[in-house]
Amino acid sequence: IWEDDWKYKKDIVKNLIRGKLGLHTNKINARDCVVKEIDTKIAKEFCNTYHIQGYASSQVKLGLYYNNKLVMVCLFSKKRRLIGGKPKEGEWELSRMCSPFDAHVRGGASKLLKHFVRLYRPKTIITFADLSVSNGDVYEKMGFKKEHIVPPTYYWTTMDIRLPRY
């Protein structure tokens, strides 16, 4: 657990721990949910509240609703240039995926991914797992193949906040 995450994002860190321990109190089946495109404001608020890295700019924002309540969000963006060369048509990145603190949405990630594929017909989709937070098994369950592990990076700190090397 990074010190700044504990200091500034304690609720998110606690939720990650609860999830790893299987202690989410609200278990929801994706088949009981409806997929809807959501606007930037809703996506930002949701991701900044429930994702350790916060919101990421994206072209496609999908929400999963259970009884008219937003219970999961997936953000898809065109492949970033920084990931390797100039992006080609049809290359996408799943850049964020999260759900509320009390919810575990069984099959939610797969349902959102299938919806995205059906609507946008991507040639490729990539994603990343921060191994300090997750082992990435959810992506393998969704059909992604692990290509390689990126070596650990370094951070700068200023006024007790971690900044990426970029």
Side-chain angles (χ1 to χ4, degrees), residues 94 113 125-127 138-146:
L94 190 168
L113 178 65
I125 305 173
I126 62 168
T127 192
V138 67
Y139 300 119
E140 290 184 43
K141 289 176 185 173
M142 293 166 65
F144 285 90
K145 293 179 193 149
K146 187 186 301 182

Side-chain angles (χ1 to χ4, degrees), residues 87-117:
K88 297 181 182 117
E89 186 64 33
E91 293 183 329
W92 289 84
E93 177 184 354
L94 190 168
S95 54
R96 293 291 185 269
M97 181 171 51
C98 55
S99 56
F101 297 149
D102 65 341
H104 171 69
V105 186
R106 291 176 267 213
S110 291
K111 183 168 185 152
L112 288 165
L113 178 65
K114 286 175 187 171
H115 185 86
F116 173 78
V117 168

